[in-house]
Amino acid sequence: MDSSLVAKAAARSAADSSRSESTLVILAYAVTIFTSAFLLFQVQPLISKFILPWFGGSPAVWTAAMLFFQVVLFGGYLYAHLASTYLGPRAQLGVHWGLLVAAAVAVAATQITPGDALKPTGKESSPLAHILLVLSASVGLPYFTLSSTGPLLQKWFSDALGGVSPYRLFALSNVGSLLALLSYPFFFEVYWDVRQQALMWSLGFVLFAACCALCAWWTYRARQLLPIPCAGGSDFSEAHAAPAWWQRASWLALPALASLMFLAVTNEVCQNVAAVPLLWILPLSLYLLSFIVAFDHPRWYVRPLCAGGAIVLAVYLSNFDDFSEQLGAALTRLAGRDEDNPIVLGTWIEQSALYFLDLFLICLVCHCELAALRPAPRYLTSYYLSMSLGGAIGGLLVNLVAPHLFDTFFELPLGMLAAVAVCGGALAVWLRRWGQRAGWGAVPLAAGALAAVAWWQIGWPAPPDPQADRATLYRGRNFFGLVAVEHRSRNDPEWENLTFLSGHIVHGRQFVRADKRQDTNIAYWGPKSGCRRALEFKLRQKPGCRIGVVGLGVGTIAGFARPGDYVRMYEINPEVIEIAQRYFTFLRECPAPVDIVLGDARLQLERELEETGGRGQQFDVLCLDAFTGDAVPTHLLTSEAFAIYKQHLKPDGILVCNITNTYLDLYPVVAKLAAAHGLKHTRIYQPRDLDRLVYRTYFVLVTNDEEFLAQTPEELVDMPASFRVPRHVPLWTDRYHNLFQVLR
């Protein structure tokens, strides 16, 4: 046989073998990066569920956790940058193998389950520092390891495969993140409890560590064969010179703005516009989707459409109520309708949708412009490091800086102004294709939009109108959210009242007139409400009644007490205590002694059992008044929590559960818990009576007091059909509970 033919055959065989190996290597890199991103976003809600019972179930716990994850993500990116820049191939292999082994051992030892030694005292005024400590001790090392994977493996991928673009792997990692985010509440949380999820996650991490170690070894071997790194491919930036200062500044500023807007819009919509459970999933999904578009499908980014749309929506949202009213009137006229059948705009659904659409467009502009500035692979880790630092800066501004500077979500209008300026710059870049001067055409549009947003969102503070029917007396903000006190119906002495709001949800009222000030027939305590019936029954039945309350509000329940009674109230937010004592009189005018316990109620009740040798407070009535609104503290509705309540109640005591909620039907949860603990129950639903300032209420009354149950039959006046739907809900425990099961 001709030797040349043998040589050609051998060459073809070697080429085929090389291509096959390259395919396997690319697959291994893709699987490793996808798995790391998936685990990153699975561990966030998982570990948050572990610590929620320790910190009051507040939405601020999730926000604090997000801050931790952003900061550690930056740490992982910093490690990837330093390792790839200053360590040789052999050192990189050794250090990263060591990190993988250490993280895998930590995961195998703890299964990312926080130990009881990390439990807080429950009295921290701002538990942010303790949350960061718990997260660092339980998932810090494995999360750091996962965080470093994306940029480090992309750098190795580029070095080893000679010029193949690594940036699509970044899009793949965001696909993994998005799938993890969406699959957790709809799949993993539904079928497995947190311990089982933690075990599966731990096994997944060990598998990831093995795949990553394999990629590290293959990269080291390939670098020995190809010592000179190849230049970047043609599908990304061809420039090999060091990036200019303005490029590096953009790598930092653009992701910072996107992160700030993501968190600011989430806070605004989920607390001030629509208190809908799990709504935060939507903005986070859009945030991740914008990364996928930017780094995998940039053709979907139409600069003038995205930038122009973001500017228009920012202006519309800055004066949403007036624009919606005017647009609704115009559409009514166009549709030929009369005033009795108008087209009504301005609902919370429309406002939320516009906020989310504007957020998506702003994130698209920021991330697609960021992707357009991506450098050659030799600067890849520096690029990702700047991106992660920008994201962390956005999180720090919203979570740490803004609460100390502002008493509202003022970072949102400031972010809107910055977004309008950035989008105006993007429009100017697009217009320059028709000449340098054409770019200046974007200036009037951006300047007008900036002026409009600034005027409507900031403007000049108007002096208070002494004749106004409503005035804000106090506004505050801390770790637990926004609170406010309003003076309402100022021109109507009969109904003049002070109203306490948490976010936009009313959490208590009191009449102003001296002769009506102690009238408790207001807000959630109407004449036929479940809580009133339980309290009045026990007050009639027993002298020296002992009353416990979870959730202070304005202290209305203290208005029921008589001399000789005792009231003990548990409140997690110190600002609520200050408001109840300063602006409302139920507490200071109560004829019975009132003790206020600062801290998470469940932790304090648990601690009091230990202090009293299991005897507890021996309450005649214990009212759980913490389930209204979006942030349902599920740790107060578990079997373990009910076991604590039962020990604090007298044998014939009544546990009053206020389950009034617009979006959740919590009755089957409470009914299941009552049955599991050998207790009976009845429920009272009352419609609202706004003419008397009485809201609709839904109470479940749990007790074994047969006399009370006989006198208080189930009463469901005008209860909506969605609350009558039978729901089969598993017993909620600290390890398993799911809000999707009780969505109306």
Side-chain angles (χ1 to χ4, degrees), residues 293 363 451:
V293 172
C363 288

Side-chain angles (χ1 to χ4, degrees), residues 252-266:
L252 194 69
L254 290 171
L257 175 59
S259 173
L260 183 148
M261 287 301 299
F262 153 58
L263 293 171
V265 168
T266 301

Side-chain angles (χ1 to χ4, degrees), residues 328-552:
L331 292 175
T332 298
R333 290 193 298 270
L334 288 174
R337 297 189 183 184
D338 55 31
E339 295 181 356
D340 295 330
N341 187 28
I343 295 176
V344 179
L345 300 178
T347 65
W348 70 265
I349 296 177
E350 177 196 351
Q351 190 172 10
S352 301
L354 291 181
Y355 264 121
F356 291 156
L357 178 58
D358 197 31
L359 170 66
F360 183 56
L361 293 177
I362 291 170
C363 288
L364 272 181
V365 171
C366 290
H367 294 152
C368 288
E369 297 297 338
L370 183 67
L373 295 173
R374 57 190 186 268
R378 63 177 299 188
Y379 301 107
L380 181 145
T381 55
S382 175
Y383 174 66
Y384 283 133
L385 179 64
S386 300
M387 286 174 54
S388 65
L389 178 58
I393 288 173
L396 289 169
L397 289 175
V398 173
N399 292 310
L400 291 183
V401 178
H404 293 286
L405 294 181
F406 311 130
D407 56 14
T408 66
F409 292 137
F410 190 64
E411 63 269 23
L412 179 59
L414 294 180
M416 285 285 194
L417 290 172
V420 168
V422 168
C423 291
L427 282 178
V429 171
W430 178 73
L431 288 172
R432 280 182 194 161
R433 64 176 60 191
W434 288 286
Q436 189 70 22
R437 291 184 178 181
W440 291 100
V443 173
L445 173 64
L450 285 170
V453 173
W455 175 257
W456 284 315
Q457 287 291 299
I458 303 174
W460 294 102
D465 181 3
Q467 304 302 318
D469 197 53
R470 178 182 298 188
T472 299
L473 302 182
Y474 176 81
R475 188 179 285 122
R477 177 180 180 183
N478 65 4
F479 175 84
F480 299 99
L482 301 179
V483 292
V485 178
E486 293 184 353
H487 190 178
R488 295 186 174 183
S489 302
R490 298 172 66 199
N491 299 318
D492 186 353
E494 180 70 18
W495 300 105
E496 186 180 6
N497 67 92
L498 298 181
T499 299
F500 168 56
L501 299 101
S502 178
H504 73 289
I505 298 172
V506 174
H507 275 211
R509 291 177 183 264
Q510 185 176 31
F511 291 114
V512 171
R513 265 177 43 183
D515 61 329
K516 297 183 67 175
R517 203 162 53 198
Q518 288 303 106
D519 185 356
T520 56
N521 286 286
I522 191 172
Y524 300 101
W525 324 111
K528 295 184 178 181
S529 67
C531 183
R532 175 174 291 277
R533 295 187 189 192
L535 287 167
E536 290 180 345
F537 176 84
K538 284 299 180 182
L539 290 167
R540 288 194 307 268
Q541 187 186 59
K542 296 183 177 181
C545 189
R546 293 181 64 85
I547 302 170
V549 185
V550 175
L552 172 62

Side-chain angles (χ1 to χ4, degrees), residues 82-292:
L82 295 176
S84 61
T85 303
Y86 298 106
L87 297 180
R90 183 183 295 274
Q92 288 184 41
L93 175 65
V95 170
H96 203 65
W97 270 9
L99 180 62
L100 290 169
V101 169
V105 169
V107 167
T110 66
Q111 292 184 17
I112 63 168
T113 302
D116 288 342
L118 294 171
K119 267 190 176 182
T121 63
K123 295 185 177 181
E124 294 85 356
S125 61
S126 180
L128 176 61
H130 202 99
I131 291 174
L132 298 180
L133 172 64
V134 172
L135 292 173
S136 299
S138 53
V139 297
L141 184 58
Y143 195 87
F144 175 85
T145 306
L146 290 168
S147 298
S148 68
T149 301
L152 192 60
L153 261 67
Q154 288 180 61
K155 181 65 168 67
W156 290 351
F157 181 87
S158 176
D159 288 352
L161 290 180
V164 178
S165 171
Y167 288 108
R168 296 194 72 179
L169 291 176
F170 183 65
L172 178 64
S173 72
N174 282 284
V175 171
S177 301
L178 184 58
L179 287 177
L181 171 69
L182 297 178
S183 65
Y184 185 81
F186 292 104
F187 181 69
F188 288 95
E189 192 178 28
V190 173
Y191 294 106
W192 295 284
D193 65 37
V194 290
R195 297 280 184 177
Q196 294 168 327
Q197 294 170 34
L199 175 59
M200 291 189 294
W201 191 93
S202 301
L203 293 174
F205 184 87
V206 172
L207 176 63
F208 150 78
C211 291
C212 191
L214 178 63
C215 289
W217 167 251
W218 190 91
T219 301
Y220 170 73
R221 192 186 65 173
R223 280 172 160 174
Q224 302 307 304
L225 300 175
L226 185 65
I228 302 175
C230 288
S234 59
D235 63 331
F236 55 96
S237 177
E238 296 286 343
H240 301 289
W245 69 267
W246 65 268
Q247 290 175 299
R248 293 188 179 275
S250 299
W251 297 350
L252 194 69
L254 290 171
L257 175 59
S259 173
L260 183 148
M261 287 301 299
F262 153 58
L263 293 171
V265 168
T266 301
N267 284 339
E268 175 68 18
V269 173
C270 295
Q271 296 190 47
N272 280 346
V273 177
V276 179
L278 304 171
L279 190 61
W280 56 267
I281 291 175
L282 282 176
L284 182 53
S285 300
L286 295 172
Y287 178 74
L288 293 173
L289 184 59
S290 68
F291 273 116
I292 297 172

